[in-house]
């Protein structure tokens, strides 16, 4: 028997008290907007306090999009006016840091595009599995003159090494599932037809284990692998500052003219399109 | 001319003064028991003091098992009563830390199961090579409500990144040779028929090099890659505490009823069996 | 319109103000000698001060060699008498550290052998791409009783993990393109016929992006991934000391007798030849 709570953009399904799923469902593109923040925060807070949940899977109900970039049509004040979270970080980096530290196991099941915030949330999860045919990971921000802000420069180099991380950030291009696996950006890339069963089997397995053994083991891994918050904090500030600059405003404007924020080729092939904006100088 | 010393559970063979092999030979399963400790300690101490040895290969004489988990049938006092080693750590983590720091190159040649202590010893070695068909690596502990204790949470995330390390620990499942290579858990997976010659050629090559250049180069790599002892120490204490808890005792009991510690399916497919113990809650 | 400046051993070509190439052209073997130092330094200094350059690609004009080992025929004083660079490090490690920290994106396009200094320069670059058929990476030094000196023990373990890094250094053997990719030693290995276009497309793309977004993003990655200078400094001193020792002098002499520093099998298959020098003891 599953107990389902529907919120506007993220649907939480409790497959059992120990095994939850959070499904991004914000048509048409799973864009992350300022009003996604309290919804995600509610889920993270529940993970921190519920005594029975052991594992959560993040997936998507939207064809082609796991979770994509921040909403550039929203007023910037709707983001900058939000108070910091419990860690003292701004809300988005705060929630991602708390997700990584929660004693619950978090798994990103990536089908469709995980770009910008989508990639950052996947990187904050404990594990990432990708559809070979349908997953695309990227940090596109540098392509529009923006510095990524949700902590990925602290997380990705530790995961895949400096060289490949710099290629992801500074090339700002799309990484399909198999390449993402070769780079270590995801744990594994699986045939699309096998992804759901693989992730469900793993989550069900973890849900059958002892919560304290899980959380104590994870805490030791945290010591060896989590970046300190003081590396994450300044990314957000520099990201916001970069968005305000003319270089970013011009590129975002050009991208909007091409169809950014609307279903279509720009959102689907974002890596390609950010490569078309600049005048080679 | 080789000089062979037989001890009960680990056979040391000196192929030359510079090139030793240590072969686990504790039938039927290569279980690591409290009385394996002084035998392994003798070898580590010899590596630390012998002026001519440059390389040691760890392998197994037991079909199907490189080196597996700790002996859960031994009295816990036989483990907890042992005095700490030279590093101040308890004997098992002490020996593994000293193996990593020794100026001798250590190579794990993995054919069969390397689970629990077997995986931890392999991770403490400088390099790991696996049989494609016959190697299985795993940290099964969380599957029986135990926190691993020999330092792997400090070592594995640094080797393969946080995401894949969390999958190894919290999924507690079996990783065959090729998957272990894709994850970086071993340096390479080789066809079983080629493993011995590959490792022997590499060890012979290293044995022909200059000992001081080896040890000074290794020391620089240590600075960049070894976890500090203070990360390793608490793993052991938390591991012992977890074993004492009812959650672990119940699961170990169930596993014993299925055939744990006896040749057969439980020991051979340990990853599968620990996934059957819990009541999904 | 490209503006070409020819220096003796490294040819700098400005494909555009934002996109430079530095081509090693020191026939017949692209050996790195004391007089390569001021030429490389001039390029690094230009990267640090030019306000328009965003990306530089290092490649080679010499068939079979990207950039190989230091010149062992040069007088050692020509190296040791050089004053330290701006970082306080000796010239070679100083330049490599500055290359890594420059706000310009550096890409090594590796066709032919990248050994010793060649590997060290590639490791100091932000990204590395290799020809599947023609690239060979290695740190051969331990094979001639020398400790590598240009910072690779600080860089490579952070990039590919301790186990594989120890294999590279202590096995001192050749790593062809595909194996280098599997190990993470390069970002990717590509069919030789595709390498140039791939790298050129990536460099052109990066050159079209905003310089400030590039440099600020890179700086965050630096925090998470660059080794501190105090890890790099002692490698150079220990390297020089090791070269002076009889063990190294004898091996270098043997290698010279076989044809080291001359076009031919020793330079082409250096990994094989350093494995033939020692008497297994």
């Amino acid at each position: 028997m599953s107990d389902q709570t529907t919120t506007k953009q993220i649907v939480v399904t409790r497959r059992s008290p120990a095994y939850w799923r959070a499904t991004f469902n914000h048509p048409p593109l799973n864009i992350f907007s300022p009003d996604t923040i309290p919804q995600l925060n509610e889920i993270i807070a529940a993970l921190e306090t519920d005594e029975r949940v052991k594992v959560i899977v993040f997936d998507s109900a939207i064809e082609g999009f796991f979770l994509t970039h921040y909403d550039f049509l929203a007023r910037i004040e709707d983001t900058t006016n939000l108070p910091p979270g419990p860690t003292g970080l701004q809300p988005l980096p705060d929630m991602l840091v708390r997700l990584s530290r929660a004693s619950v196991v978090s798994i990103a099941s990536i089908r469709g595009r995980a770009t910008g915030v989508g990639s950052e949330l996947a990187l904050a999860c404990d594990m990432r599995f990708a559809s070979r045919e349908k997953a695309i990971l990227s940090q596109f921000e540098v392509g529009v003159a923006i510095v990524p802000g949700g902590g990925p420069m602290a997380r990705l180099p530790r995961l895949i090494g400096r060289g490949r991380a710099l290629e992801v950030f500074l090339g700002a291009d799309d990484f399909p599932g198999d390449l993402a696996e070769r780079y270590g950006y995801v744990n594994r890339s699986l045939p699309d037809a096998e992804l759901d069963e693989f992730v469900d089997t793993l989550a069900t397995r973890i849900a059958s284990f002892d919560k304290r053994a899980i959380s104590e083991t994870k805490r030791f891994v945290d010591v060896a692998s989590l970046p300190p918050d003081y590396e994450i904090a300044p990314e957000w500030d520099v990201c916001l500052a970069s968005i305000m600059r003319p270089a970013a405003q011009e590129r975002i404007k050009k991208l909007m003219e091409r169809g950014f924020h609307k279903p279509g080729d720009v959102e689907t092939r974002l890596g390609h399109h950010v490569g078309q904006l600049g005048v080679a100088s």
Side-chain angles (χ1 to χ4, degrees), chain A:
Chain A
M1 294 302 99
S2 76
D3 139 26
Q4 189 169 93
T5 313
T6 307
T7 60
K8 215 167 76 202
Q9 299 172 18
I10 315 178
V11 180
V12 174
T13 313
R14 289 175 178 75
R15 296 224 174 159
S16 77
Y19 170 14
W20 298 5
R21 292 184 82 99
T23 303
F24 297 108
N25 187 22
H26 188 203
L29 295 167
N30 269 345
I31 285 175
F32 191 95
S33 69
D35 47 285
T36 318
I37 290 179
Q39 299 186 32
L40 181 58
N41 192 55
E42 194 182 323
I43 295 167
I44 308 279
L47 294 176
E48 292 173 321
T49 51
D50 188 286
E51 292 181 5
R52 293 195 291 173
V53 60
K54 300 177 196 169
V55 58
I56 185 163
V57 173
F58 289 93
D59 63 6
S60 162
I62 306 293
E63 176 74 24
F65 295 87
F66 170 73
L67 178 67
T68 191
H69 54 77
Y70 209 81
D71 186 349
F72 289 90
L73 298 174
R75 293 182 313 152
I76 190 95
E77 306 78 45
D78 289 348
T79 300
T80 53
N81 287 348
L82 292 166
T87 62
L89 297 167
Q90 285 300 301
L92 178 61
D94 170 78
M95 292 187 296
L96 298 184
V97 157
R98 286 160 55 209
L99 178 62
S100 296
R101 293 225 190 89
S103 48
V104 172
V105 182
S106 49
I107 302 176
S109 180
I110 306 170
R111 175 178 285 121
R113 178 174 283 283
T115 284
V117 182
S119 166
E120 292 167 356
L121 179 124
L123 288 170
C125 282
D126 294 338
M127 307 172 203
R128 289 152 292 287
F129 298 96
S131 160
R132 178 167 297 163
E133 297 89 347
K134 298 190 175 173
I136 292 174
L137 288 92
S138 85
Q139 298 283 160
F140 80 112
E141 290 89 333
V142 167
V144 289
I146 292 176
V147 177
M153 282 84 80
R155 291 193 183 93
L156 194 59
R158 288 179 163 88
L159 195 65
I160 70 175
R162 173 178 174 82
R164 287 169 171 173
L166 283 169
E167 183 188 346
V168 169
F169 292 122
L170 305 182
D173 214 338
D174 293 340
F175 285 74
D178 278 358
L179 185 58
E181 173 182 317
R182 278 159 66 197
Y183 274 35
Y185 200 162
V186 297
N187 286 38
R188 298 189 212 183
S189 165
L190 295 138
D192 190 70
E194 296 173 20
L195 176 66
D196 294 336
E197 192 185 332
F198 177 88
V199 170
D200 187 57
T201 300
L202 176 59
T204 302
R205 178 179 175 91
I206 292 173
S208 80
F209 292 163
D210 178 62
K211 176 152 179 158
R212 186 160 171 191
I214 290 170
S215 66
E216 289 183 352
T217 301
K218 183 176 164 181
R219 210 172 308 143
F220 281 119
V221 175
D222 289 352
V223 172
S225 65
L226 280 186
D229 287 3
Y230 61 74
E231 270 191 42
I232 293 193
E235 289 190 23
W236 184 256
D237 300 328
V238 172
C239 170
L240 283 185
S242 70
I243 293 174
M244 314 294 193
R245 288 199 292 260
Q249 291 298 321
E250 280 164 27
R251 286 180 194 239
I252 293 166
K253 182 161 175 279
K254 280 191 199 174
L255 206 57
M256 291 288 186
E257 289 162 5
R258 285 172 171 256
F260 196 38
H261 284 67
K262 289 178 219 145
D265 200 58
V266 171
E267 290 288 350
T268 306
R269 296 198 302 141
L270 188 56
H272 168 75
H273 285 273
V274 299
Q276 308 297 312
L277 304 176
V279 180
S281 56

